[in-house]
Amino acid sequence: DAGVIQSPRHEVTEMGQEVTLRCKPISGHDYLFWYRQTMMRGLELLIYFNNNVPIDDSGMPEDRFSAKMPNASFSTLKIQPSEPRDSAVYFCASKAGGLRSETQYFGPGTRLLVL
Amino acid sequence: GESVGLHLPTLSVQEGDNSIINCAYSNSASDYFIWYKQESGKGPQFIIDIRSNMDKRQGQRVTVLLNKTVKHLSLQIAATQPGDSAVYFCAENKNTDKLIFGTGTRLQVFP
């Protein structure tokens, strides 16, 4: 199994530009999570999906952030317009559905730097 | 005052020694706990998990202990190796889809 795949691995952009992060979950997993990790705040859950439907987006910082999951094998996290304070590592994770399936498997992350 | 960033506790151990990483969890109703290892530049990697109906679980070189009375979780690593150097996170779950992560502990292994 390839595991969770994220792209790009690194992104450097200028303030005001649109940034799109991509994630392919593990095949067969029903849940997909987007996290942000910074030195200041640690690992924060932004949003998660179940069967492609957003369930909880209470962690999304503001309207500049949006996430979609058009199908079971693909999700995007978009920041528009980006700001320097968005600089962080963004992780995607997935897990199987059903009872007693709490283990989330993380991708390698996208390191975002907004100048 | 304004936070200047998370202070990660650091555990320094000599190669070959046993390591014990501790975690205090917040919710007495949590029923599932998990340990992740995060190496520099990588995503968190699952190590071991335990349910609240157990107080001990063993894996390969790792043991997780759960003390529900004091809401304490620990990860023991036997014969610590340089490759064990990483940040270790505990996480808890209370019958939801979300995990609540701790701030992490940095493990440094020196020869």
Side-chain angles (χ1 to χ4, degrees), chain B residues 80-97:
Chain B
T80 312
Q81 302 169 1
D84 296 327
S85 295
V87 176
Y88 289 80
F89 293 95
C90 67
E92 61 184 296
N93 177 284
K94 177 188 162 296
N95 198 28
T96 70
D97 298 322

Side-chain angles (χ1 to χ4, degrees), chain A residues 1-64:
Chain A
D1 196 330
V4 176
I5 299 172
Q6 292 187 246
S7 65
R9 292 296 310 277
H10 302 272
E11 177 82 27
V12 181
T13 190
E14 292 186 341
M15 183 174 64
Q17 297 297 308
E18 177 179 295
V19 174
T20 300
L21 312 180
R22 297 172 176 80
C23 175
K24 176 178 169 52
I26 293 172
S27 177
H29 280 189
D30 299 331
Y31 288 82
L32 184 140
F33 302 80
W34 281 102
Y35 290 88
R36 177 173 67 177
Q37 187 176 44
T38 62
M39 287 298 295
M40 288 290 292
R41 302 171 70 90
L43 196 61
E44 303 174 275
L45 176 65
L46 301 177
I47 184 172
Y48 80 93
F49 296 82
N50 178 216
N51 291 324
N52 314 336
V53 176
I55 303 300
D56 185 346
D57 65 353
S58 60
M60 295 287 261
E62 47 196 278
D63 293 345
R64 297 185 298 107

Side-chain angles (χ1 to χ4, degrees), chain A residues 37 56 100 102-104, chain B residues 6 32 36 38 51 98:
Chain A
Q37 187 176 44
D56 185 346
R100 311 181 79 79
E102 291 94 339
T103 305
Q104 296 180 22
Chain B
L6 291 174
Y32 175 77
Y36 283 93
Q38 187 176 20
R51 298 200 172 276
K98 300 193 288 188

